[in-house]
Amino acid sequence: MQRIILRQLKRSVHRLQGDAPPEITRYYQAYKKEFKNYQKISNKIELLNSARQADIVFGADFHPFAQSQRTHLRILRELVKDKKPVVLALEAIDSKFQNIVEAYLDEEIDDKEFLKKINYSQSWGFPWENYKVLFDFAKIYDLPVYGINQSGLDNQKRDLALRDSHSATQIVALRRKFPQALIYVVYGDLHLASSHLPKLTRKYLGRSDHTRFLTVFQDSETLYWRLAKRKLEERVDVLKLRTDAYCVVNSPPWIKWQAYLDFLEQTIDEENEETSDYEENLHHFIKVIQKLWKVDRHFTDFHAFTKGDVRFAQHVSKNINKKDLNRIMTLVRQEKSFFIPSPATFYLHSSDVNHLVTLAGQFIHSKMRRDTEVHLKFPQDVPPRVWIEAIGFFASKLINNRRKHSLLKDLPTHHHATLIALEQRLHEQMALKTNKSLKRVRQTRYRKAQDYFEATRIVGAILGNRIYTAFHKNDLDFKTLHRWLRTPVNNNPRFLNFYVSMLRDLKDVQVLERSKNERL
């Protein structure tokens, strides 16, 4: 099924984009050679130690995929803890705009003016939110940021070798300007094949130069399938390719292709002056999840709204009672994505694949149990909401088996959501040990509805990961799964008894749980 999803996505991308230019094809062939083999399974600590010993790090970037830029952000967070200064070099910015970059870092101009002055939409065009996190990080830690690209004329945009040559000269200039610093380059993955940007940079540095390079690739499709053959695709985070190159394994290949497809579709919608909707993606994921769950019914009746769609308020105000409407609008203000069972409605704050599939799973779940309730009456709705979030997370793990979630030990102490999550987990463990009813979490004057909602997502993700593991190991059969999906969800004793019996069924499932701090 995963290979089928990937083939479908690639066909959709090819249909929108057409045939790749010959030069792109040549770059791609050189890039693929980097992954013919790997030296060994590695880890976050070894990669970071290698980065600390390098003078220039080439970080591979898949432009439309936010996870790609955030991987480099996580690496940078560790590197700035050292005494060695860090300089950030970005392909996303043309080198001729350096004065504007510095004005933006000094907060002399805001985001809107910055993007306008560097002509971002035309010179780069990939989602600004993906790169803004790097600039925000640079502001916090006072890191120099340099644009190293050269957009120039249309023919130069197509000539990858010319752009690589220009960027190599910029990197060399930074190396000489900041000889004691680590130059961290974020650049398109195809350019980082050994025979392209790194080779040119080495050439321009000169034969007598001993600058130490490290290349950090991401999410190689070739290596993912190789790990999958050994059933290691969910366990391995980092592969060491050779002394000067690693590959981070954060996402399965179809996730980044879905991000690329979303970007292309949104670009086309904007060119046609249409508002982008995600109904087609939702239909697609609903069908895929139904196949994986062997649910032989057709669920197609839903409404989908995205952030900023004024029709959403009109839609819910007509169909939702006043108390539930207030709860829903609080989630909108908190910038959350969510699903409402009746009328079946998706609200999507972002196009993140994990969010889409989570909500698609919740939609199927609501249809299976024929539910119409919103389940946002806290604290009494904590167990029902945890169960709904668990089923959604389980669905998303089937599509993105690399999806991360917070363990309780990862959570910030003394936050209300953390305390609610801990209390809920304690009540669950006590119910399992004593065979007594599941207690409800307390209501206090300091706890707000969003705290309960966030806590249910945390606990739901932990439970959803356990369900996924049982399903993946064939410890959860389809008969039991369908019974679980059909069980009515509410806050009465019958549902609470079901909830505890479900926990008991999953009690002995061996789950691989690693802290986010252990992973990139």
Side-chain angles (χ1 to χ4, degrees):
M1 177 60 71
Q2 294 166 342
R3 289 183 183 271
I4 290 170
I5 293 171
L6 182 59
R7 285 197 296 269
Q8 289 174 340
L9 288 168
K10 286 184 175 181
R11 282 198 294 268
S12 297
V13 167
H14 183 265
R15 186 174 65 250
L16 291 176
Q17 195 177 42
D19 294 331
E23 193 170 12
I24 292 283
T25 303
R26 287 196 298 272
Y27 264 58
Y28 180 66
Q29 293 305 319
Y31 169 75
K32 280 178 63 178
K33 290 179 182 178
E34 301 290 325
F35 310 109
K36 282 187 175 181
N37 213 334
Y38 60 88
Q39 194 178 100
K40 68 171 187 173
I41 292 172
S42 185
N43 54 53
K44 172 183 175 180
I45 293 173
E46 187 178 8
L47 185 153
L48 289 172
N49 286 338
S50 294
R52 291 184 178 106
Q53 294 167 17
D55 300 305
I56 299 175
V57 172
F58 293 96
D61 182 30
F62 192 73
H63 311 316
F65 187 35
Q67 185 64 238
S68 180
Q69 295 82 33
R70 289 186 177 276
T71 294
H72 296 303
L73 182 64
R74 287 190 282 270
I75 294 173
L76 286 163
R77 281 181 184 144
E78 298 298 326
L79 295 178
V80 296
K81 295 176 183 178
D82 305 323
K83 292 181 179 179
K84 190 173 183 178
V86 177
V87 175
L88 194 54
L90 303 179
E91 181 196 11
I93 308 295
D94 195 306
S95 60
K96 68 185 178 184
F97 295 126
Q98 190 56 38
N99 289 340
I100 301 170
V101 169
E102 290 172 6
Y104 177 62
L105 292 172
D106 292 338
E107 298 187 341
E108 295 172 7
I109 55 176
D110 60 15
D111 284 30
K112 185 176 181 180
E113 188 175 357
F114 173 61
L115 298 179
K116 182 179 179 181
K117 283 179 176 290
I118 66 172
N119 195 23
Y120 183 85
S121 61
Q122 296 299 316
S123 63
W124 190 242
F126 293 100
W128 164 239
E129 294 79 10
N130 295 11
Y131 296 92
K132 176 176 167 57
V133 294
L134 295 173
F135 278 96
D136 290 345
F137 179 81
K139 288 179 181 180
I140 292 170
Y141 289 94
D142 197 24
L143 304 185
V145 180
Y146 286 82
I148 58 172
N149 201 355
Q150 183 183 42
S151 52
L153 303 174
D154 288 342
N155 64 332
Q156 286 182 318
K157 287 182 181 179
R158 292 178 175 273
D159 194 333
L160 303 182
L162 275 177
R163 287 175 50 209
D164 283 356
S165 179
H166 176 80
S167 295
T169 61
Q170 297 296 310
I171 294 168
V172 170
L174 291 175
R175 171 69 177 143
R176 289 170 179 160
K177 184 175 182 178
F178 302 98
Q180 303 303 315
L182 169 64
I183 312 300
Y184 198 102
V185 181
V186 179
Y187 215 93
D189 46 13
L190 299 191
H191 298 263
L192 299 191
S194 304
S195 56
H196 292 134
L197 184 59
K199 182 179 180 179
L200 283 169
T201 305
R202 178 70 68 192
K203 176 184 175 182
Y204 297 161
L205 282 167
R207 290 183 181 180
S208 61
D209 186 89
H210 299 292
T211 296
R212 295 163 295 182
F213 287 5
L214 181 74
T215 301
V216 180
F217 293 106
Q218 293 193 63
D219 299 323
S220 160
E221 184 178 328
T222 302
L223 296 182
Y224 179 87
W225 294 122
R226 188 168 295 176
L227 290 171
K229 282 185 179 180
R230 298 175 59 191
K231 299 187 183 302
L232 293 172
E233 75 278 17
E234 294 181 32
R235 294 175 175 269
V236 175
D237 299 319
V238 181
L239 291 168
K240 185 175 183 179
L241 306 184
R242 53 183 188 270
T243 304
D244 63 347
Y246 289 79
C247 183
V248 175
V249 185
N250 257 336
S251 301
W254 54 91
I255 296 296
K256 72 177 192 178
W257 278 88
Q258 180 67 58
Y260 191 22
L261 178 62
D262 291 344
F263 167 72
L264 291 175
E265 289 177 336
Q266 184 173 353
T267 301
I268 291 171
D269 287 340
E270 288 172 356
E271 288 175 354
N272 294 332
E273 297 184 349
E274 298 174 2
T275 57
S276 177
D277 67 56
Y278 304 102
E279 290 189 14
E280 188 174 339
N281 283 344
L282 285 167
H283 279 295
H284 167 69
F285 287 129
I286 289 166
K287 288 179 182 177
V288 170
I289 295 300
Q290 285 187 235
K291 284 182 180 179
L292 293 172
W293 285 350
K294 293 187 177 179
V295 175
D296 298 325
R297 295 167 64 186
H298 296 289
F299 301 136
T300 58
D301 54 325
F302 63 79
H303 306 271
F305 300 91
T306 55
K307 178 182 68 172
D309 191 334
V310 295
R311 298 173 301 160
F312 175 73
Q314 298 169 352
H315 170 76
V316 292
S317 62
K318 289 179 182 177
N319 297 287
I320 305 293
N321 65 61
K322 188 174 181 180
K323 287 186 177 179
D324 282 340
L325 180 61
N326 290 335
R327 297 180 181 113
I328 288 165
M329 296 313 293
T330 298
L331 295 180
V332 174
R333 289 190 291 272
Q334 293 290 319
E335 300 186 341
K336 306 290 186 183
S337 296
F338 54 86
F339 169 73
I340 305 167
S342 181
T345 303
F346 294 87
Y347 178 82
L348 305 168
H349 178 72
S350 74
S351 60
D352 181 85
V353 174
N354 290 329
H355 290 169
L356 262 65
V357 185
T358 296
L359 300 184
Q362 292 181 9
F363 168 73
I364 297 168
H365 185 201
S366 73
K367 290 292 186 180
M368 292 285 286
R369 68 182 192 269
R370 299 180 180 180
D371 200 353
T372 60
E373 294 297 316
V374 176
H375 300 295
L376 292 173
K377 300 173 185 175
F378 297 122
Q380 58 264 43
D381 271 346
V382 167
R385 193 76 226 171
V386 168
W387 180 234
I388 291 168
E389 295 295 336
I391 293 297
F393 190 88
F394 166 41
S396 72
K397 279 282 284 191
L398 291 170
I399 301 301
N400 181 8
N401 54 17
R402 299 288 311 183
R403 187 178 183 186
K404 301 172 185 175
H405 68 281
S406 295
L407 303 182
L408 294 179
K409 64 182 179 181
D410 294 327
L411 302 177
T413 55
H414 305 303
H415 283 209
H416 293 304
T418 301
L419 297 175
I420 295 167
L422 288 168
E423 188 178 341
Q424 173 64 19
R425 290 285 286 165
L426 178 62
H427 291 330
E428 292 174 2
Q429 295 305 310
M430 291 300 295
L432 286 173
K433 288 183 177 181
T434 63
N435 290 319
K436 293 182 179 179
S437 300
L438 180 70
K439 288 186 178 180
R440 303 179 193 276
V441 297
R442 295 168 301 148
Q443 183 173 18
T444 71
R445 59 185 292 189
Y446 302 106
R447 293 176 174 179
K448 298 179 180 178
Q450 56 263 36
D451 298 323
Y452 289 103
F453 184 76
E454 187 60 31
T456 61
R457 285 198 163 177
I458 293 165
V459 180
I462 295 170
L463 177 57
N465 190 52
R466 183 169 288 272
I467 297 169
Y468 166 79
T469 303
F471 186 79
H472 189 61
K473 292 181 175 180
N474 296 319
D475 292 334
L476 173 61
D477 58 55
F478 287 102
K479 183 178 179 181
T480 302
L481 174 61
H482 290 175
R483 176 171 60 82
W484 286 1
L485 292 172
R486 288 194 298 267
T487 298
V489 173
N490 47 52
N491 53 39
N492 64 29
R494 186 174 180 180
F495 171 75
L496 296 181
N497 289 336
F498 157 76
Y499 186 91
V500 175
S501 70
M502 173 272 302
L503 293 177
R504 190 170 289 111
D505 290 341
L506 295 170
K507 182 168 61 72
D508 296 326
V509 175
Q510 297 297 313
V511 181
L512 176 67
E513 291 189 331
R514 287 182 297 164
S515 167
K516 279 187 174 182
N517 295 330
E518 298 171 10
R519 305 173 64 181
L520 277 172

